Amino acid sequence: MPENTVTAPLAPMKPEDVAAAFAYLRARLIGDIDTAGAVADDTGPEQLHRLLLDVAARVFIPVTAEDDHDGEPCAHSFLAAALGRLLLELLCHGECLASAPGIAATITRFTENILTDEHGDVADVLRQLEAAGMKQAMEAHPAHRTTA
């Protein structure tokens, strides 16, 4: 993950990484521990951790990095960006949140509370985020194909 995720663009994920990360998120969302465990086993704990942090950065940073107000940075812009970076820092290093289930739960709660209208369909928003991530991944890695 880049040092400054607000100003440095994130490198596109590989399609199979997008598929694995969102398969894990969907399984955790619906409480399907068996599928979540299978994805974690197939991906490996360190790789899954990295993938979920990549997804978290892609979910949090665009929402919190609103750079300007009428074309000019304002105090709220900097505060929002700092909150996004702080949330990612907690996921990277916070003992209670740094596990794959903790990161997945944080992404889900953020999606529910910030990205959906009146606590709407979190699964639908996650599908939209996955589609956007997959599109970016396929454009950056056209030779990769997924089975998901």
Side-chain angles (χ1 to χ4, degrees):
M1 191 177 327
E3 189 69 28
N4 183 349
T5 55
V6 173
T7 58
L10 295 168
M13 295 174 72
K14 293 179 181 174
E16 59 269 20
D17 293 344
V18 173
F22 280 94
Y24 184 82
L25 285 169
R26 280 191 308 276
R28 295 289 307 184
L29 177 65
I30 63 172
D32 184 351
I33 302 304
D34 292 336
T35 299
V39 171
D41 288 344
D42 290 346
T43 306
E46 290 179 17
Q47 176 73 355
L48 180 61
H49 185 261
R50 185 188 63 75
L51 296 178
L52 291 172
L53 289 175
D54 281 350
V55 169
R58 286 166 172 74
V59 171
F60 304 153
I61 295 301
V63 173
T64 61
E66 294 296 326
D67 290 338
D68 59 50
H69 177 71
D70 296 327
E72 295 295 323
C74 67
H76 296 109
S77 315
F78 297 113
L79 178 60
L83 285 172
R85 287 192 305 271
L86 177 61
L87 187 52
L88 284 174
E89 183 69 21
L90 284 171
L91 292 180
C92 290
H93 304 291
E95 289 182 28
C96 59
L97 296 177
S99 67
I103 297 169
T106 303
I107 292 169
T108 300
R109 284 192 304 273
F110 186 89
T111 301
E112 179 179 16
N113 292 307
I114 305 297
L115 300 179
T116 60
D117 295 326
E118 298 182 25
H119 305 288
D121 188 0
V122 174
D124 185 49
V125 174
L126 288 175
R127 280 189 294 275
Q128 292 172 30
L129 291 168
E130 180 180 16
M134 189 60 75
K135 180 178 184 241
Q136 181 188 38
M138 293 301 291
E139 288 171 354
H141 306 281
H144 288 80
R145 298 290 180 241
T146 63
T147 57

